[in-house]
Amino acid sequence: MRILDKYILKEMLGPFVFGIAAFSSVFIGTSTLFRLARYITEYGAAVSSVTKLFFYSLPEIIVLTFPMSMLLASLLAFGRLSASSEITAMKSGGLSFFRLAAPVFIAAFVVSVVAVILNEAVVPRANNAYQNVLRYEIEKSKPKSQEHIVIKDVKDGEIERLTYARKFDEAANAMYAVTVQEFDQGRLVRVENAEKATWDNGRWIMESGIVYDVAPEGQLQRTLRFDKQFMPVEKSPKEIVREQKKPDEMTIKELKQHIKVLQREYVKTSTYEVELHQRLSIPAASLVFALIGTPLGLQPHRSSSSIGLGISIIIIFIYYTIMTVFTALGQGGAIPAVLAAWIPNIVFIIVGAFLVRKASQ
């Protein structure tokens, strides 16, 4: 790494850290603290439980601020260099715009990769822990019904059994419209369907069902009807409820598995698909924002950090407005999920390419 690269990255580091702190504070102050205060007033939540919720909410918020902070860092860093005529001196030394912007784009790519890793390894677990604290320590919710539940049995890192129920009634300890898919080394070997399954004496009992054996070619080998039989699932109703996750609590692998199960049952999966694609598109926004912030920072009027902050807020508002609109359209099935997740980035890449071309001339 050359001295120039280190110098530019050093100029970006301060604004980037400041951006994470500032934007995280905005999210925490306008949303998180309000929710925590409501839990205290409505449920009488203990301070220890509220403190857990606060820390479990931080990973998702911090990752969400990465693109914003990268935009602010590139704007302020190049704005300061431009205002002090250092960019002019660098260009006089024969350095092109692309050479000056190279460390910014590399740093933005690294930030995007880190965000993807955090989104996969940390954020889902934190969100799941948040929901468990909320459900079992604060709300202490009574038994309730859920729809489209999926139960996974994993052995040696591979799916051994997938169980789907169109409806689960925790109060009655019963599942309805049940499908059990059994696998052998990743290959589907058996399918069991039942109208109902009830929890009785520590076992699940399936009622009014049929068993299909699946040949290696995917054809049905044999069918067997039954009135009652034990279901090969050992998890209790409470364990099943605890295992159910929202889209933001799943890893990419879990989202893909969940989508496949729901698609086999002809259940709408657009919400899960949008979440799946956004696991990559939102972190990639760091690189997209760097593409916009770097040429904007070179504009002659960019002499004040307050102007840079104002421009950042406007760009962020436009981006997340577009993202919110297209996320809603994607979840509703009006447009494909992949387009819903990536259109905001595509729009800003086009704008960024125009700004880069203009700055490089």
Side-chain angles (χ1 to χ4, degrees):
M1 185 183 294
R2 296 185 179 182
I3 296 176
L4 174 64
D5 299 326
K6 293 181 180 179
Y7 183 66
I8 293 176
L9 292 176
K10 184 179 178 181
E11 287 292 326
M12 292 180 58
L13 181 60
F16 181 75
V17 174
F18 169 78
I20 292 176
F23 293 123
S24 296
S25 299
V26 171
F27 282 113
I28 292 171
T30 58
S31 178
T32 304
L33 292 181
F34 176 78
R35 289 199 307 269
L36 297 182
R38 184 168 61 85
Y39 297 147
I40 294 175
T41 56
E42 292 186 10
Y43 300 99
V47 174
S48 59
S49 298
V50 171
T51 302
K52 290 179 190 176
L53 291 184
F54 176 78
F55 285 105
Y56 286 144
S57 67
L58 291 181
E60 184 176 29
I61 292 174
I62 292 174
V63 171
L64 189 62
T65 64
F66 278 3
M68 309 177 190
S69 303
M70 181 54 62
L71 173 64
L72 182 65
S74 56
L75 266 170
L76 294 187
F78 273 78
R80 196 206 67 77
L81 294 175
S82 180
S84 59
S85 300
E86 292 182 63
I87 294 294
T88 303
M90 294 175 187
K91 287 184 176 181
S92 299
L95 297 176
S96 65
F97 166 80
F98 293 103
R99 179 60 188 88
L100 296 176
V104 181
F105 296 151
I106 292 174
F109 176 77
V110 171
V111 169
S112 296
V113 172
V114 171
V116 171
I117 294 173
L118 292 177
N119 260 340
E120 181 69 5
V122 179
V123 174
R125 294 181 181 180
N127 289 343
N128 183 245
Y130 182 101
Q131 290 298 325
N132 286 335
V133 171
L134 178 62
R135 185 181 299 117
Y136 299 108
E137 294 186 22
I138 296 179
E139 293 181 345
K140 298 178 181 178
S141 56
K142 298 179 180 179
K144 57 184 179 181
S145 297
Q146 298 185 46
E147 293 186 349
H148 308 305
I149 70 164
V150 176
I151 307 166
K152 305 182 186 73
D153 292 305
V154 181
K155 184 178 180 180
D156 299 328
E158 290 193 5
I159 292 291
E160 184 179 46
R161 186 180 301 106
L162 281 174
T163 304
Y164 166 82
R166 189 168 294 274
K167 183 180 179 181
F168 174 68
D169 189 344
E170 187 180 358
N173 288 337
M175 293 187 283
Y176 302 90
V178 181
T179 299
V180 181
Q181 301 173 351
E182 297 188 18
F183 297 85
D184 182 15
Q185 297 181 348
R187 185 179 70 83
L188 181 64
V189 295
R190 186 174 296 105
V191 178
E192 303 176 35
N193 294 328
E195 294 181 4
K196 182 181 179 181
T198 55
W199 180 256
D200 185 24
N201 293 324
R203 297 291 301 269
W204 285 102
I205 300 176
M206 304 172 71
E207 302 176 11
S208 303
I210 185 169
V211 179
Y212 300 93
D213 286 341
V214 184
E217 299 80 14
Q219 298 175 342
L220 300 179
Q221 284 186 320
R222 183 181 70 239
T223 62
L224 174 66
R225 295 186 179 277
F226 61 87
D227 293 325
K228 287 187 178 183
Q229 78 168 25
F230 289 120
M231 186 169 73
V233 175
E234 299 178 355
K235 296 176 181 177
S236 67
K238 289 185 178 180
E239 290 175 321
I240 291 173
V241 171
R242 197 176 187 91
E243 186 180 277
Q244 301 311 303
K245 297 179 180 180
K246 296 180 179 179
D248 62 353
E249 299 173 47
M250 299 181 186
T251 63
I252 292 177
K253 183 178 180 180
E254 288 174 332
L255 281 168
K256 289 181 178 179
Q257 291 174 348
H258 202 83
I259 290 169
K260 286 182 179 179
V261 173
L262 294 182
Q263 285 177 339
R264 290 193 188 109
E265 302 298 327
Y266 303 100
V267 177
K268 184 179 177 182
T269 60
S270 54
T271 299
Y272 295 92
E273 291 182 57
V274 171
E275 176 70 24
L276 175 63
H277 291 292
Q278 284 184 337
R279 291 296 174 87
L280 297 178
S281 65
I282 293 179
S286 295
L287 187 57
V288 175
F289 278 173
L291 195 67
I292 290 178
T294 303
L296 281 180
L298 298 177
Q299 299 301 313
H301 62 274
R302 291 284 305 104
S303 59
S304 171
S305 59
S306 60
I307 295 178
L309 181 59
I311 294 175
S312 299
I313 292 174
I314 293 172
I315 294 174
I316 290 166
F317 175 78
I318 295 173
Y319 178 88
Y320 283 97
T321 298
I322 296 174
M323 187 183 75
T324 301
V325 171
F326 280 95
T327 297
L329 292 174
Q331 291 178 344
I335 60 175
V338 63
L339 284 180
W342 285 98
I343 278 180
N345 284 358
I346 293 172
V347 170
F348 275 69
I349 286 173
I350 294 173
V351 175
F354 171 77
L355 293 173
V356 167
R357 182 174 178 273
K358 185 178 178 181
S360 62
Q361 290 178 346

